[in-house]
Amino acid sequence: MNIIYLSPNFPPNNYQFIQGLKNLGVNVLGIGETPYEHLNHNIKDSLTEYYKVNSLEDYDQSLRAVGFFTHKYGKVDRIFSLNEYWLEKEARLRTDFNVYGIKTDEIDNIRHKSRMKEKYKNAGINVAEGQIITGSEQATAFIKKVGYPVIVKPDGGIGAVDTYEINDKKGLEDFFKRKNNYDYIIEEFIDGDLYSFDGIADRDGKPVFYTSHFFNMGIMDAVNDRKDLFYYSLRDIPEDIKDAGIRTLKAFNYREGFFHLEFFRVKKNKKIIALEVNMRPPGGLTTDMFNFANDINIYQEWANVVVNN
């Protein structure tokens, strides 16, 4: 089995995914910007070969790298980075080389907030009311319906980057003075507690491992206000979070990989409101939290799913 791994050295704990694949006899072929001699020794020991590019942002360089590996090793079976930043590049490469997994005709559903909302609705899960805005008139009309505060964020954004809570007319005017030249979505503000539903789905879409976390605040607050964020694994997974999570996986027809789904529990009425999907491992050291909380090796278990389902 030939698996290409993009940017294998970031984040630093990613080398354990590569080790898991190597343990199962996979040819793991790395593509990245870091010079080979600067790679972690664990990565070097686990890669069959490494192809350095000057920039992963340059699609043609990545295309040539995959072409080189295909010529040398035969058909590529999977392409991964397990990093949200490269999801669209992964999908494009899979499409061009006909590799199993999410392709370009599916990637918008898991990258754009507006498309996520439609999938959530199809699953019968409540969402925050929202819409794409291109100008201040649309935003003003939306605010007349839901009132302040509102949340404005890039429709195809990553994490809480360029995400704002707007509390009044002046805040709205300031946003339009500094906004970037891409689509934003405006949403009603939800006063709720943040939960995640995290795990791995197999090739049939069945969650073979799942857990849940509670966050003391939204990621937007931590990023914009430089507040201290903490979160912890729940010993008992709330049934409504589990139900919403499994219905979400079905609605997105998601298969073979990590998922990190975010939900609000509204403080006033305790209802579950879907926030967004992330079809990759949760960030930071959460995968290591999986291991300590459940006495498993999630890196090896992911590899087991990819190679043996």
Side-chain angles (χ1 to χ4, degrees), residues 180-214:
N180 289 299
N181 189 29
Y182 43 65
D183 286 343
Y184 286 81
I185 187 169
I186 189 169
E187 295 179 335
E188 63 176 320
F189 177 82
I190 302 297
D191 184 19
D193 292 318
L194 179 61
Y195 290 81
S196 68
F197 184 70
D198 308 286
I200 300 175
D202 69 8
R203 210 169 297 155
D204 305 307
K206 176 186 174 184
V208 292
F209 167 79
Y210 55 86
T211 186
S212 182
H213 296 86
F214 172 82

Side-chain angles (χ1 to χ4, degrees), residues 3 28 37 63 72 78 81 84 98 121 129 139 147 167 178 196 204 217 220 226 237 243 257 270 305:
I3 292 181
V28 189
E37 59 270 22
L63 193 73
K72 184 170 182 178
R78 299 289 188 275
S81 72
E84 186 173 14
N98 191 28
K121 289 176 182 177
E129 189 171 349
N167 295 287
R178 66 174 181 265
S196 68
D204 305 307
M217 67 177 70
M220 178 189 70
R226 297 180 181 273
I237 303 174
D243 176 66
K270 305 303 179 184
V305 167

Side-chain angles (χ1 to χ4, degrees), residues 1-5 15-30 42-50 73-80 99 203 256 299-309:
M1 192 173 194
N2 300 315
I3 292 181
I4 286 178
Y5 206 106
Y15 76 87
Q16 295 171 92
F17 290 120
I18 302 170
Q19 283 183 331
L21 293 170
K22 183 191 177 186
N23 291 340
L24 298 176
V26 172
N27 281 328
V28 189
L29 309 167
N42 291 305
I43 297 175
K44 292 179 182 178
D45 291 344
S46 300
L47 290 176
T48 301
E49 189 168 349
Y50 181 72
Y73 294 96
K75 179 170 172 54
V76 172
D77 297 288
R78 299 289 188 275
I79 298 174
F80 297 115
V99 174
R203 210 169 297 155
E256 197 189 89
Y299 303 99
Q300 188 64 59
E301 296 302 348
W302 168 79
N304 289 342
V305 167
V306 172
V307 177
N308 299 313
N309 199 31

Side-chain angles (χ1 to χ4, degrees), residues 26-66:
V26 172
N27 281 328
V28 189
L29 309 167
I31 301 174
E33 301 173 0
T34 302
Y36 178 79
E37 59 270 22
H38 294 163
L39 294 177
N40 180 299
H41 73 276
N42 291 305
I43 297 175
K44 292 179 182 178
D45 291 344
S46 300
L47 290 176
T48 301
E49 189 168 349
Y50 181 72
Y51 189 112
K52 182 190 177 301
V53 295
N54 293 325
S55 172
L56 277 172
E57 300 282 0
D58 184 343
Y59 184 73
D60 286 342
Q61 292 185 44
S62 300
L63 193 73
R64 286 194 293 272
V66 177

Side-chain angles (χ1 to χ4, degrees), residues 17-302:
F17 290 120
I18 302 170
Q19 283 183 331
L21 293 170
K22 183 191 177 186
N23 291 340
L24 298 176
V26 172
N27 281 328
V28 189
L29 309 167
I31 301 174
E33 301 173 0
T34 302
Y36 178 79
E37 59 270 22
H38 294 163
L39 294 177
N40 180 299
H41 73 276
N42 291 305
I43 297 175
K44 292 179 182 178
D45 291 344
S46 300
L47 290 176
T48 301
E49 189 168 349
Y50 181 72
Y51 189 112
K52 182 190 177 301
V53 295
N54 293 325
S55 172
L56 277 172
E57 300 282 0
D58 184 343
Y59 184 73
D60 286 342
Q61 292 185 44
S62 300
L63 193 73
R64 286 194 293 272
V66 177
F68 170 81
F69 283 142
T70 300
H71 178 74
K72 184 170 182 178
Y73 294 96
K75 179 170 172 54
V76 172
D77 297 288
R78 299 289 188 275
I79 298 174
F80 297 115
S81 72
L82 301 184
N83 186 327
E84 186 173 14
Y85 188 78
W86 301 117
L87 289 181
E88 288 174 305
K89 181 178 289 290
E90 290 177 25
R92 189 175 173 189
L93 288 169
R94 289 190 196 108
T95 302
D96 286 346
F97 288 90
N98 191 28
V99 174
Y100 178 89
I102 294 172
K103 296 184 173 66
T104 52
D105 61 344
E106 305 167 286
I107 193 66
D108 282 351
N109 290 332
I110 65 170
R111 289 287 291 114
H112 291 271
K113 275 69 172 175
S114 55
R115 297 283 286 269
M116 292 177 196
K117 285 186 186 295
E118 295 306 313
K119 290 287 186 180
Y120 276 128
K121 289 176 182 177
N122 292 341
I125 301 171
N126 295 321
V127 297
E129 189 171 349
Q131 68 178 59
I132 299 288
I133 52 170
T134 55
S136 59
E137 291 183 2
Q138 284 177 304
T140 301
F142 179 82
I143 292 168
K144 282 184 179 178
K145 288 194 300 181
V146 304
Y148 288 107
V150 292
I151 305 298
V152 180
K153 54 191 173 183
D155 188 39
I158 296 175
V161 175
D162 202 17
T163 298
Y164 307 98
E165 179 182 328
I166 296 175
N167 295 287
D168 51 35
K169 185 177 179 181
K170 183 180 184 305
L172 188 66
E173 291 171 351
D174 290 343
F175 163 74
F176 276 100
K177 288 176 183 176
R178 66 174 181 265
K179 71 182 279 296
N180 289 299
N181 189 29
Y182 43 65
D183 286 343
Y184 286 81
I185 187 169
I186 189 169
E187 295 179 335
E188 63 176 320
F189 177 82
I190 302 297
D191 184 19
D193 292 318
L194 179 61
Y195 290 81
S196 68
F197 184 70
D198 308 286
I200 300 175
D202 69 8
R203 210 169 297 155
D204 305 307
K206 176 186 174 184
V208 292
F209 167 79
Y210 55 86
T211 186
S212 182
H213 296 86
F214 172 82
F215 295 74
N216 72 313
M217 67 177 70
I219 309 303
M220 178 189 70
D221 296 320
V223 171
N224 290 347
D225 300 332
R226 297 180 181 273
K227 293 180 178 178
D228 290 328
L229 169 74
F230 70 81
Y231 59 102
Y232 55 84
S233 302
L234 297 178
R235 189 180 297 275
D236 298 306
I237 303 174
E239 280 299 320
D240 51 1
I241 295 290
K242 175 183 172 182
D243 176 66
I246 290 175
R247 282 195 285 150
T248 298
L249 293 175
K250 289 180 180 178
F252 282 81
N253 193 31
Y254 185 64
R255 299 167 186 275
E256 197 189 89
F258 278 97
F259 54 85
H260 170 64
L261 314 177
E262 297 175 352
F263 301 94
F264 280 123
R265 185 186 299 283
V266 181
K267 291 179 180 178
K268 187 176 180 179
N269 57 22
K270 305 303 179 184
K271 285 185 178 180
I272 297 301
I273 301 285
L275 180 57
E276 63 180 66
V277 303
N278 300 276
M279 299 315 194
R280 43 78 177 168
L285 299 175
T286 314
T287 43
D288 297 292
M289 289 174 64
F290 291 168
N291 288 347
F292 284 106
N294 299 278
D295 197 21
I296 57 175
N297 181 346
I298 200 68
Y299 303 99
Q300 188 64 59
E301 296 302 348
W302 168 79

